[in-house]
Structure formats: structure tokens, C-alpha cells
Amino acid sequence: MDIDKSILEKVNVWLTPDFDTDTQNTIREMMTASPKELEESFYKNLEFGTGGMRGIMGPGTNRINKYTLGKATQGLSDYIKKSFPNEQAKVAIAYDCRHNSDTLAKVVADVFSANGIKVFLFSDMRPTPELSFALKHLDCHAGIVLTASHNPPEYNGYKVYWQDGGQLVPPQDGEIINTIEALAYNQINFNANEDLIEYIDKTIDEAFIKSSLENATFTSKEAKNELNIVFTSLHGTSIKLVPDLLEAAGYNNVHIVAEQAVPNGDFPTVKSPNPEEPEALKMATELADKVNADIVIGTDPDSDRLGVAVRNNNNEMVLLNGNQTMVLMTHFLLEQWKKNDKLTGNEFIGSTIVSTPMMMELATAYGIECKVGLTGFKWIAKMIKDFPDQQFIGGGEESFGYMVGDAVRDKDAVTSTLLVCEIAAQAKANGSSLYKELLKLYTEFGYYKETLISLTKKGIEGAQEIKQMMVDLRENPMSEINGQRVVMVEDYQAGTAKNLLTNEEEELYLPKSNVLIYYLEDGSKICARPSGTEPKIKFYFSVNDTLDNVDNFKSVEANLTKRVENIIKAMNLI
């Protein structure tokens, strides 16, 4: 195949002595044996998306390797020194269980130290939320974690955190990206100053566990003794902290899935280490049936997201979705704050535009505010930073992430695991269960049912196909879906909300983002959004109805399920 001239120009740069011999040899092999792979590796530069920079490992500008990460780190070093000119700049670095995460973390540490920046580097893999905590605990200016979350084994990634413990947000992310893009690869300083690299481990672990206990402990010792838990780390980093945290909290009946307890970047026992998918928790739910467990909890490889399975009214293990666990945890926290007379009306919870509207109902019921941001926990962290006079209670998003308090400024499956165990233990002690508590919430606030469809579109052609799907949705907006009129279309890229019944337009207050949301006259909500970290376009559906009695749950659920299916069919997504 003919390779585009602009790609060959990039390739030729990587065949110069600024790049090591192995990299050059691999590229030469690709030029003859795998020109398509060569094109995919160089047709663009890796971009900062929803969760930082994430991609396939290998040589090339569109791949994760020592040079793309080195360049990002050199640019970040320059930006940090410019931002804090009269201080000894400090950064913290963590990494997960993926292949090359440890060596890439050391490369990043080397570049920071070569630029005179003090580095705190974890001596072994650690959960991502511990990096956010450590950054603040050690009074650092920035932090990096090497992770690709639940992506396939060939992926890795680079997430950047700032002084407040949250990920980068505009306009700062754009300024840093411009600094990085202005650099040439031969400007990267890889010559480490080992005197500036300090390894950290148990002291930070102990401080993080103490913080989690303070933020998520609400239940009596007797109740904890009765809860039967199955936990799986899905070959990831949470094995480093979660068992110790649960033991410190007083949970003595914890069964760990041994086959998945050993960190392994190949994730050999699952198709995908994604706790959103029931298959990922299959071994855990099988163990739960053997030991008659009340609850199953599984975390993704970097331990920022958790999947929770509980027994339904037929004693079957069912996986809750991210909206359901978010609502359960938020309601529980609000109840605890109310019982302790801590609610003043100056508190808030956080959510995102693609998550359940039920969060708004909870906030209204407790007389507080629900702030709603774009997808990604960096926006919830920004809320805490932007509104220092208000107190953050908790918040989450539909993608199985939750944040308890503000000690960690990112989704935190470690502390959230403890919190969900606290809720389950209390419920069981009161003759209830997590599942029954969820049904109670539906009778009180309305039954909100959410569904997600992800369409994978890989490579250059896939990216173009996703782009065209969003263009079509914008230029040819649907006026009716499943027999229901579209009453409002929010276009976050244009920054407008248009009422299709009156043709009136309003300005949206959130930053620009490639997201479209349709609202139907029956209260249904449909969101289309290209993923910021994977080659996917995602469609989020939310429908709702009243549930006057838990005995009617199945019939109401069946009606809502049918409504979602009809919407999906009407949009030709299946």
C-alpha cells in the first residue's frame, strides 16, 4: 500500500539517532511487513482525552512508548517550572499492573528529575486513587499515573493530576498540550538525577487507609461480622490495599478470588477486566454461590472503578449498574449526614450529564445542590476546587466510579468498596439488603432505568465513521423517537440547548464537548458521545416511571425495558 507523505515524514524522524536502535529496527520492519500498522502508529499524535493519554504500546507518535511519554513529561516539566518559578517543584508517580507500566513510570521519573523536579515514585504498583491522595498528602505540584484502566492488554496510558489532586481541566490542559506539541523529540532530557527520586510505599498506604476509614465508616462491629463478602481485584492493583482496608474496618468474612488476586497485565481469566461487564465478575459470583455471600465487589486494574453484585429477591446474584451503585451510596451518605445534623443546605453532590437524573431528585429531597458536569471525574474534582465555600459529600458517574468526600479528587474504588460494604452490612442488620434498599429508593424517588450501548469502531476508518455519526445526528436531528416528540436537543459542542417545540435556544453553561442529548416528551433522555479513551461511540438511555409499590417492580421494569428497546430500534442502532 502507498503510505501518505506526511506519515513518512514522521517516520523518518523516528529513524534518526535520537531514537534507540530497537525502535528504529521495529519501524523498518513495519515499513515492509506491516505498512497498515505503520500508518496506524503514525497518522496522528496521541491526544489527551477524558482520562488523559491512552493508547496501544509500540513505536510511533500514536502509540505509548518512552518517547511519547518522555515528550509529554518534558513539556509538563517545563510548564510546572514556569507555573512555580520560586519553589522546589515536586511530583508523585504511580503505576498499575500493565506490561511496561513500571519501566515507563521510571522513564517519566527520570525526565522529571533530569529537569530538577523532586519525584516521589511508588516502589510497586498502586491504585490510581492513592496517587491523587499521595499528591495532596505530600504537597506535590502535580502527579502522574501510568494506567489504561480496563482497556485490553496491549494498551497503556498516562494520566496527569494537578496540585488539587484532580486531573487536568481547561484551560490548563490546553496550555500544557501546546507546550508539549512545541517540543521536538531531541529536546527530551532523559538523564535522570537519582538524588531527586524518592521511593514511597507503606507510609502512604497507611495514611490512605486511615483517610478511607475516616470517610466511609458508619456501621457497628456486630453488623460487619454478619456480612459475607466476595472480593476480586481482577488481576489489578486493588489487591495492594482493599483487603487491608476491609480488615482494618472490621470485616472478617471476606473471600478473595484467588485466581484473580495475582496482578497480571494479560488479565488471563477474563475477556476484559471491566467490572461493568457481568462476565468479568463470573468467577466471583460463582464463589459467592459456594460460600453464600451477600455481596460481590470487583475493581478494575487501576482500582478507580468498582462493580457490585448483590442478591435479588430470588436469592440470585445480579450486577448493579453504575447509576444504581451511585444512587445507593449517595442516598446513604445523605442519610448519615442528616442523622448527624451536618446538613446545612450548603453542601452538594456531583454527577455528570450522561448519568441518572435520579441524582437531582436525591439532592432536592435533602435540600442540597446537585452539580452536573461533563463526563469524567476531573469535572467533579473541579467543582470542589471552584466552590470552596460549599462542602462536597459524594458523587459519581454511570461508568462505575464514585468519590467519597474530597480526600481523593478522582473516582476511588478503594474507599467506595468500604462504603458499599457499610451500606450492605447495615441493611442486613436491619433485615433488608442492598437490593431491597434500591427498590425502596425507586418507590420514593421514581424508577429510573439506564442502558448503555457502545459501538466499537477501530482505526482510521473507525474514527471517521464515529465522526460522521455525530455529524448526521447534528445536521439531521430526529424530531420524533419511538412515537415521542423530541422536545429539547442539547449540543455541548455548539454550546446550545434548542427547544424543538418553540425553536428557542439557550446557552449551555458547561465547557464545549462533543456530546448530544435528546430529551423526549415522556421524560426519556438519549445521549450520544464518542469515548475520550477508547475507539467507541456511546449511546446512553434513561427512562423513568413511578413505582408505587415494590410488588409492581417487575411489571414496571418490563415496561421500561421495552421502552428502551423500542428507542434503540427506532434509532437504527441494532
Side-chain angles (χ1 to χ4, degrees):
M1 63 175 284
D2 292 329
I3 300 174
D4 187 89
K5 183 181 177 182
S6 63
I7 292 176
L8 285 176
E9 288 175 355
K10 288 185 178 182
V11 169
N12 287 332
V13 171
W14 284 60
L15 293 176
T16 64
D18 290 325
F19 297 82
D20 61 62
T21 304
D22 288 343
T23 296
Q24 293 181 53
N25 289 340
T26 301
I27 292 171
R28 288 192 179 96
E29 288 174 15
M30 289 165 65
M31 292 178 76
T32 54
S34 307
K36 179 65 176 175
E37 184 182 353
L38 184 77
E39 184 180 44
E40 293 282 355
S41 300
F42 282 93
Y43 85 95
K44 66 174 184 176
N45 293 344
L46 271 182
E47 299 169 350
F48 276 83
T50 310
M53 215 162 50
R54 199 180 297 181
I56 295 170
M57 290 178 280
T61 60
N62 189 35
R63 294 289 184 257
I64 293 287
N65 51 67
K66 67 176 287 187
Y67 299 103
T68 53
L69 296 194
K71 187 178 177 183
T73 306
Q74 182 63 53
L76 184 57
S77 297
D78 293 345
Y79 187 85
I80 289 171
K81 291 195 294 183
K82 182 181 177 182
S83 301
F84 307 100
N86 300 315
E87 301 179 39
Q88 170 59 63
K90 297 182 290 184
V91 299
I93 302 174
Y95 58 92
D96 70 3
C97 60
R98 288 180 175 272
H99 299 305
N100 304 316
S101 279
D102 53 350
T103 54
L104 289 172
K106 182 58 169 65
V107 167
V108 171
D110 289 350
V111 175
F112 277 129
S113 69
N115 283 276
I117 295 173
K118 169 72 176 178
V119 177
F120 296 98
L121 174 63
F122 276 100
S123 60
D124 197 0
M125 64 187 71
R126 287 296 190 279
T128 288
E130 188 171 3
L131 183 278
S132 174
F133 174 85
L135 191 165
K136 292 174 64 185
H137 186 74
L138 295 168
D139 195 28
C140 291
H141 299 88
I144 303 289
V145 61
L146 280 296
T147 178
S149 187
H150 59 282
N151 281 60
E154 63 269 23
Y155 281 75
N156 215 316
Y158 181 91
K159 291 171 77 170
V160 183
Y161 294 78
W162 202 241
Q163 202 170 14
D164 66 322
Q167 290 185 57
L168 294 177
V169 293
Q172 195 172 48
D173 57 353
E175 294 169 358
I176 290 173
I177 289 167
N178 289 338
T179 304
I180 294 167
E181 290 298 319
L183 290 171
Y185 286 101
N186 60 13
Q187 292 178 277
I188 306 168
N189 189 347
F190 286 110
N191 299 314
N193 180 348
E194 297 292 345
D195 292 339
L196 288 177
I197 301 176
E198 179 179 337
Y199 289 89
I200 54 174
D201 39 48
K202 289 184 179 179
T203 303
I204 303 299
D205 294 344
E206 291 166 358
F208 184 35
I209 286 173
K210 182 174 180 286
S211 172
S212 295
L213 290 169
E214 290 171 352
N215 280 291
T217 301
F218 301 96
T219 304
S220 69
K221 181 180 179 181
E222 292 74 25
K224 293 174 181 179
N225 287 336
E226 293 301 314
L227 189 69
N228 193 353
I229 305 165
V230 165
F231 173 74
T232 177
S233 57
L234 294 178
H235 303 289
T237 59
S238 63
I239 200 68
K240 295 287 185 181
L241 278 188
V242 169
D244 290 343
L245 174 61
L246 291 178
E247 182 180 358
Y251 290 96
N252 301 310
N253 202 0
V254 181
H255 307 269
I256 295 173
V257 180
E259 300 91 333
Q260 296 175 330
V262 178
N264 188 329
D266 288 323
F267 314 113
T269 64
V270 292
K271 291 179 183 176
S272 170
N274 185 353
E276 292 182 71
E277 299 172 8
E279 183 275 334
L281 298 185
K282 187 172 184 290
M283 293 181 75
T285 53
E286 288 174 350
L287 177 59
D289 286 335
K290 288 180 184 177
V291 301
N292 195 30
D294 302 298
I295 185 170
V296 165
I297 301 171
T299 55
D300 67 343
D302 68 325
S303 191
D304 60 358
R305 301 187 309 134
L306 75 164
V308 179
V310 296
R311 295 200 178 277
N312 64 14
N313 291 340
N314 296 322
N315 204 39
E316 302 161 330
M317 274 287 168
V318 293
L319 178 64
L320 302 179
N321 64 42
N323 286 300
Q324 291 171 323
T325 54
M326 170 172 61
V327 165
L328 279 164
M329 287 190 274
T330 303
H331 179 262
F332 182 82
L333 287 173
L334 289 171
E335 271 295 295
Q336 301 308 310
W337 279 59
K338 182 180 178 181
K339 286 178 183 177
N340 292 311
D341 294 322
K342 292 171 63 178
L343 289 181
T344 66
N346 198 38
E347 296 79 22
F348 74 95
I349 56 176
S351 186
T352 70
I353 58 175
V354 301
S355 301
T356 179
M358 192 171 171
M359 289 288 281
M360 304 294 288
E361 301 295 329
L362 289 176
T364 300
Y366 284 87
I368 63 161
E369 184 182 358
C370 178
K371 296 184 189 294
V372 179
L374 296 175
T375 304
F377 266 73
K378 61 187 179 184
W379 300 109
I380 297 179
K382 187 176 186 295
M383 295 170 191
I384 300 171
K385 184 179 179 180
D386 289 348
F387 298 93
D389 295 333
Q390 285 183 272
Q391 193 160 7
F392 176 72
I393 294 175
E397 61 181 3
E398 57 76 37
S399 61
F400 287 58
Y402 199 80
M403 185 160 68
V404 187
D406 65 356
V408 171
R409 300 290 176 92
D410 200 359
K411 48 189 178 289
D412 175 7
V414 178
T415 311
S416 298
T417 292
L418 174 57
L419 178 60
V420 83
C421 287
E422 296 282 293
I423 306 169
Q426 251 188 53
K428 186 175 183 180
N430 294 330
S432 183
S433 68
L434 264 184
Y435 189 81
K436 290 176 180 176
E437 292 302 303
L438 181 63
L439 297 191
K440 285 182 189 175
L441 293 182
Y442 287 152
T443 61
E444 187 175 351
F445 301 101
Y447 181 14
Y448 287 78
K449 181 176 178 63
E450 279 79 29
T451 302
L452 169 67
I453 288 182
S454 293
L455 304 179
T456 300
K457 309 284 184 181
K458 294 184 178 181
I460 301 172
E461 293 85 356
Q464 185 58 42
E465 192 175 346
I466 289 172
K467 182 180 179 181
Q468 189 59 48
M469 290 176 77
M470 293 300 292
V471 168
D472 292 342
L473 284 169
R474 282 193 170 89
E475 295 183 352
N476 305 294
M478 302 174 74
S479 59
E480 183 180 287
I481 302 174
N482 188 34
Q484 294 288 323
R485 288 184 299 175
V486 178
V487 297
M488 180 78 73
V489 178
E490 292 177 345
D491 185 343
Y492 285 85
Q493 187 163 279
T496 59
K498 184 174 183 179
N499 186 318
L500 298 192
L501 304 183
T502 65
N503 281 326
E504 294 177 348
E505 276 193 2
E506 293 181 7
E507 186 177 348
L508 293 171
Y509 65 92
L510 294 179
K512 301 292 177 69
S513 182
N514 190 13
V515 182
L516 275 173
I517 301 181
Y518 285 72
Y519 294 91
L520 310 188
E521 58 186 336
D522 64 357
S524 300
K525 174 184 171 185
I526 304 154
C527 174
R529 168 186 165 266
S531 172
T533 54
E534 301 172 274
K536 293 179 178 179
I537 182 169
K538 296 185 175 184
F539 292 88
Y540 307 79
F541 306 89
S542 178
V543 295
N544 64 86
D545 202 352
T546 56
L547 179 65
D548 55 3
N549 191 299
V550 293
D551 293 336
N552 298 327
F553 174 72
K554 283 193 173 181
S555 62
V556 174
E557 181 180 44
N559 289 336
L560 292 179
T561 299
K562 188 66 176 175
R563 193 192 298 179
V564 173
E565 289 172 351
N566 289 340
I567 290 172
I568 294 170
K569 186 176 180 182
M571 294 182 69
N572 296 315
L573 295 176
I574 55 172

